[in-house]
Amino acid sequence: FGSALVSLPQALPNCRPVIVDDRESRLIGNGQIPRGLAGRLIPEQKQAFESGKPEFVKVVSGTGELLAILSAEAGQGLKIRRVFRLQ
C-alpha cells in the first residue's frame, strides 16, 4: 500500500505542468488567470477548440508545489477547475 498514495506535485502525470512565479501564484489563488499565463496556454486552447474536448493543465510553483488545475475549453477559454491552498 506504500505506493497507493501520490503526492500532489506527482498527481496527474498526463497533464502538462506550467510553472508560475509568485505574482501569478497569488492571482491564481484569488481566482484570476494572469494574462501572461493565458498567453502561454494558447496551444492548449487551440487544441481544445480543434478536438472539442477540454485540455487540462496543472499549475505548479517554482518550488514544485501543485497550485491549481486549469482547463482550456472550446469556445470558453481558460477556466480554473481547482485551487490547492499551500499551508
Side-chain angles (χ1 to χ4, degrees), residues 44-75:
E44 283 77 7
Q45 294 179 58
K46 285 183 178 179
Q47 188 169 350
F49 183 77
E50 291 170 358
S51 70
K53 297 178 185 176
E55 292 291 321
F56 293 95
V57 177
K58 58 184 178 181
V59 180
V60 181
S61 71
T63 59
E65 295 293 325
L66 180 61
L67 300 174
I69 297 172
L70 304 181
S71 66
E73 300 187 20

Side-chain angles (χ1 to χ4, degrees), residues 3-82:
S3 63
L5 296 178
V6 177
S7 67
L8 278 178
Q10 295 173 331
L12 305 170
N14 296 331
C15 291
R16 179 171 91 87
V18 176
I19 299 173
V20 295
D21 61 25
D22 289 340
R23 180 187 160 281
E24 292 173 321
S25 174
R26 281 192 305 277
L27 286 171
I28 288 174
N30 290 328
Q32 301 174 15
I33 299 174
R35 286 188 198 143
L37 179 60
R40 288 185 283 169
L41 296 177
I42 289 174
E44 283 77 7
Q45 294 179 58
K46 285 183 178 179
Q47 188 169 350
F49 183 77
E50 291 170 358
S51 70
K53 297 178 185 176
E55 292 291 321
F56 293 95
V57 177
K58 58 184 178 181
V59 180
V60 181
S61 71
T63 59
E65 295 293 325
L66 180 61
L67 300 174
I69 297 172
L70 304 181
S71 66
E73 300 187 20
Q76 298 182 23
L78 293 172
K79 291 187 174 189
I80 296 175
R81 290 297 176 190
R82 178 78 169 122

